[in-house]
Amino acid sequence: MNYNHFNLAIYCTAGFLNKINIEDLKKDISFFKKHLKISKVYLETHRGHDDVPKNKMLEIKNIFENESIKTSGGITATIDYDNIDPYKDLRIFHTFCYTNEKLLTRLQEIVEYTASLFDEIIFDDFYFTNCSCPSCIEQKGNLSWEEFRLNLMTKVSQEYIVKPAKKINPSVNMIIKYPNWNESYQETGYNPETQINIFDEVYTGTETRDAKYTQQHLSRYLSYSLMRWFENLAPNRNGGGWFDSFDCIYNLGYYLEQAYLTVFSKAKELTLFDFNSLRNSVFVPPLGHELERLDNLLGYLGNPQGVYVYQPFHSYGEDHLYDYLGMVGIPFEPLHYFPNTKNTIFITANCSKDKNIIDKIKNHLLNGGNIIMTSGFVKKMEGFGVEDLTSLRYTDKKVVANTFAIQAEGCAFERYEYSKEKIIIPVLEYRNNATWPLIVSVSGENNFPILTEDTYGKGRIYTLVIPDNYSDLYYYPKEVLTYIRQIFMSDFDFYIDGEEKLGIFLYDNNTFILESFLPYRSVVTVHIKDKNKSLIDAINGIEYTENLLNNEKIYRIKIEPTTFKVFKIN
């Protein structure tokens, strides 16, 4: 029996499969089936120095299939061969060197062996290169590492992976799993632009765990946003989302949260990494309970939507910025292309990768659409046409502030608010009355822009000044955050007023999810802009108690830490 709205898979590593005895494996399967509805396992044939022999793999494959669990193959492209790879210890994670002909031959052998056993193969997210050995340096020549590695991994994907696999098994479904660190794809050879046309499917890493105490420092909203980027890149060919339990033992909420956000993004399949670390673990029973609840919830949700954010191929500059903003109550829909729409589009420094970005922005504004751009984008595009859009100019100055003024009325501001901590903010200069300040920081006898407004054609340009440390966004006063939310949510029927670390997940059937990323209970005010509409519980249909304020209906919602609620605007 499977879940109604998604499949559930578990990944089994080669080292585990080599060591496990059959009786213990059967007991482990019983444990998982007690709590989870498993529809598939990925059985890894190779990782590091482990290769699973055919006789044992067939025996294990048969055991799972007798339990009505589909089996697919898995490969992790790491190696531990001293005799043919003298530079392996110089590479992070012992990934392959893809200019070493002996290693390429070995890779092709692994692929062919796996394709002979399975009709589907997934590549774990160590299929990248950070090699800078003498051979790679020679072949790189005058190219940048980015150009060289993107070209190299495109060639390897076609010639040493997909083509050999299809020759052995023409019907094999080849899947490339992309890691969660999408800001670094281009530097390590991950090339979604070309690989999307080489592999049959993609898969998305949605592991976020903890941003503070892990080396990847990824904002937790990424478990949702990266899935949406790949869903828009590969409609109906994004196999699912993959997360693990690592570094979650002190906070089970972080583990379950990865499942929540992966499901909220409408993943077709969830893959749990990995069988060995999860067997008889504390993670599985609560996950089983929550997956039942999430499966029921999906029946009430439409298709995801949000503020369009443009994330071109191979781009970086303000890494994961929209994930940090996603943690303060702004729903995003990331796209690999600049959309043809009149809706608001969010532009970060990453968009400077697109050489035609200024022209695209101008056309969007001329057609009546609005743009929200960042201070980082202004900095990147100075001298390339951003001067036509705003009088803001980036400086090398900084200001430390904890006082903020909101909404200029005439010469003065409407109100002043104070942040929890002092925040380091880059200083942008602008020309009075050419650019209009909406929010400023105040320091001494001076103030500095945080949010400004310009106009161009039929549209408006808002510029959001980003703190040097993106997580300092969480220290902004909630009144500042709420004003920023209002600007971002101009195309939608509602916005929220509340603290930081609140997630909104929006769907096209007038439903939305409110999730708390906070470690304590909080109160969130939902503002419905149309007083003829109301807020109801999407699951049981009960209407919430309302108040009227400035022609808006407002609803006070209490929410517990690391939990979510589902609403419908009626």
Side-chain angles (χ1 to χ4, degrees), residues 130-149:
N130 51 50
C131 188
S132 55
C133 72
S135 172
C136 287
I137 292 172
E138 180 182 357
Q139 292 198 29
K140 180 179 82 74
N142 293 324
L143 296 175
S144 67
W145 281 114
E146 175 181 325
E147 293 171 313
F148 168 67
R149 288 169 175 165

Side-chain angles (χ1 to χ4, degrees), residues 274-438:
D274 69 317
F275 195 99
N276 186 37
S277 63
L278 291 172
R279 57 184 181 144
N280 296 316
S281 76
V282 69
F283 298 104
V284 171
L287 177 64
H289 176 272
E290 291 300 277
L291 289 181
E292 291 284 357
R293 190 161 71 105
L294 290 165
D295 191 32
N296 177 63
L297 161 69
L298 283 178
Y300 296 90
L301 303 179
N303 296 313
Q305 59 179 191
V307 179
Y308 291 122
V309 53
Y310 180 30
Q311 172 80 10
F313 289 119
H314 324 309
S315 63
Y316 57 93
E318 287 176 308
D319 298 344
H320 301 288
L321 175 58
Y322 58 81
D323 291 321
Y324 284 92
L325 287 166
M327 296 282 286
V328 298
I330 302 168
F332 286 108
E333 184 71 353
L335 302 171
H336 61 287
Y337 60 91
F338 192 97
N340 181 18
T341 178
K342 287 191 175 182
N343 286 2
T344 298
I345 301 173
F346 183 42
I347 299 295
T348 72
N350 300 36
C351 298
S352 64
K353 187 73 175 183
D354 184 342
K355 295 179 180 179
N356 299 313
I357 186 59
I358 294 295
D359 288 340
K360 291 177 180 178
I361 289 174
K362 287 180 177 179
N363 288 335
H364 179 71
L365 294 164
L366 287 168
N367 289 326
N370 293 338
I371 290 288
I372 303 172
M373 62 186 184
T374 65
S375 50
F377 179 77
V378 172
K379 181 180 181 180
K380 283 272 190 178
M381 298 307 296
E382 284 185 5
F384 296 95
V386 75
E387 296 83 358
D388 288 348
L389 304 178
T390 180
S391 71
L392 285 160
R393 299 294 182 267
Y394 210 94
T395 75
D396 58 0
K397 304 171 187 175
K398 308 287 182 184
V399 65
V400 179
N402 70 338
T403 304
F404 297 85
I406 302 173
Q407 189 62 52
E409 291 190 346
C411 293
F413 287 92
E414 182 182 90
R415 61 189 189 274
Y416 294 82
E417 305 295 342
Y418 302 91
S419 62
K420 299 176 183 178
E421 302 283 346
K422 291 185 176 180
I423 302 171
I424 301 174
I425 299 167
V427 173
L428 276 73
E429 296 177 346
Y430 65 97
R431 305 281 69 83
N432 281 323
N433 298 321
T435 295
W436 189 252
L438 300 174

Side-chain angles (χ1 to χ4, degrees), residues 464-482:
L464 182 62
V465 178
I466 305 299
D468 282 4
N469 180 349
Y470 302 160
S471 69
D472 281 351
L473 290 164
Y474 305 155
Y475 293 140
Y476 278 171
K478 73 182 185 70
E479 295 82 4
V480 170
L481 291 176
T482 296

Side-chain angles (χ1 to χ4, degrees), residues 514 522-524 526 535 544 555-559 565 567:
L514 169 65
S522 63
V523 176
V524 181
V526 178
L535 189 71
Y544 287 89
Y555 301 83
R556 285 172 55 83
I557 307 295
K558 291 182 180 180
I559 187 164
K565 293 186 176 183
F567 303 95

Side-chain angles (χ1 to χ4, degrees), residues 449-462:
I450 295 295
L451 181 68
T452 63
E453 180 182 13
D454 291 277
T455 60
Y456 186 94
K458 301 176 184 178
R460 297 179 186 274
I461 308 151
Y462 299 96

